[in-house]
Amino acid sequence: MGLKILLVEDEPSLAAMLQRGLKEEGYQVSVAMSGPMGLEMALAFGFDVIILDIMLPEMSGLEVCKKLREQDSKTPILMLTALDSPENIVMGLDSGADGYLSKPFNFAELSARIRTMARRLQNVPVSPKHLITIADLEINTQSKTVTRSGQSITLTATEFRLLEFLAQRTNLVLSRIEILEHVWNIDFNMGTNVVDVYINYLRKKLDRDFQPKLIHTVIGMGYVLKNGEAA
């Protein structure tokens, strides 16, 4: 049996085209035509992937995504939207989405994103070590909590994914492309500043009021999370 996909899209012609194409790929596809209907179906039935348009009647895709994450839904969510500015990308990812696809897109690109999400579902790393300690920073990958010098630090889901990725590669310089591919599992326009925006978010929360500084820029190369000694 193929993946069970929920498609939340209010354009009938686009929804029908995507549903037909996804079924031909071997997926089981259910369609919701509004935000409330999509939320209800997502909570009532177990889907493997949710494809969620941002511009929906009655309740936006951003609201649907936030409500799903508030209900502790871990289902991978791919956002569809014509609004592809960095600000809108940040809004979508901050709401809890796992990926972002700008309209118009070709079906092959959508199919590739779904396969990527499927691989993530099948290859969730299992490790008994769920605590990462760097200097006075402690990251619990199980409870998704972060403290520094004993102070609790609140991060969004996207900020946490970025921090976890950096922390698992302490002292390694990571390019923006590597971060985009591994944290979001999608390819952005090369000119996007989404990585820089999120690095700044983390710096304000993790470094601004603490010493030593942990997040460093390597000019022309990328970013690195250093332990206290290496800094």
Side-chain angles (χ1 to χ4, degrees), residues 62-226:
L62 294 174
E63 293 176 278
V64 172
C65 189
K66 287 179 181 178
K67 289 183 180 297
L68 286 174
R69 294 309 186 223
E70 287 170 0
Q71 294 294 320
D72 204 31
S73 170
K74 301 294 192 300
T75 305
I77 296 174
L78 177 65
M79 287 284 198
L80 303 180
T81 183
L83 307 173
D84 62 351
S85 70
E87 292 76 15
N88 285 301
I89 293 173
V90 169
M91 286 177 62
L93 298 173
D94 268 351
S95 71
D98 298 276
Y100 184 95
L101 190 57
S102 301
K103 295 180 179 179
F105 55 85
N106 60 54
F107 186 80
E109 186 176 6
L110 174 64
S111 185
R113 298 287 176 84
I114 293 172
R115 288 195 298 272
T116 297
M117 289 183 168
R119 287 196 296 271
R120 290 176 64 187
L121 287 172
Q122 295 167 0
N123 297 297
V124 177
V126 178
S127 172
K129 186 178 179 181
H130 59 271
L131 288 176
I132 302 174
T133 302
I134 301 163
D136 57 348
L137 175 69
E138 186 173 282
I139 305 162
N140 189 317
T141 61
Q142 203 168 65
S143 63
K144 308 297 183 187
T145 55
V146 177
T147 62
R148 184 153 191 201
S149 292
Q151 298 182 38
S152 178
I153 296 173
T154 301
L155 300 181
T156 67
T158 305
E159 289 167 355
F160 186 89
R161 285 202 303 271
L162 173 56
L163 175 60
E164 184 178 5
F165 178 68
L166 296 173
Q168 289 173 339
R169 294 155 182 82
T170 306
N171 297 325
L172 294 179
V173 178
L174 302 167
S175 71
R176 289 172 176 80
I177 297 302
E178 286 179 288
I179 295 171
L180 285 171
E181 289 178 348
H182 288 84
V183 175
W184 287 282
N185 263 300
I186 52 180
D187 299 320
F188 285 91
N189 181 298
M190 290 289 289
T192 184
N193 67 345
V194 168
V195 171
D196 308 279
V197 169
Y198 274 92
I199 288 290
N200 285 333
Y201 287 167
L202 285 183
R203 279 178 165 150
K204 288 177 181 177
K205 293 183 177 183
L206 298 177
D207 275 351
R208 184 170 59 185
D209 300 324
F210 301 94
Q211 290 293 339
K213 304 306 180 188
L214 301 179
I215 302 172
H216 299 262
T217 301
V218 181
I219 297 174
M221 297 181 67
Y223 296 101
V224 57
L225 182 66
K226 296 183 179 180

Side-chain angles (χ1 to χ4, degrees), residues 6-41:
L6 173 61
L7 172 63
V8 189
E9 170 60 63
D10 67 318
E11 293 183 44
S13 59
L14 178 58
M17 183 272 288
L18 293 178
Q19 183 180 35
R20 182 171 60 253
L22 291 171
K23 283 186 175 181
E24 289 175 357
E25 295 268 313
Y27 301 123
Q28 303 174 61
V29 186
S30 300
V31 177
M33 303 294 288
S34 70
M37 182 185 297
L39 178 61
E40 182 178 351
M41 291 174 66

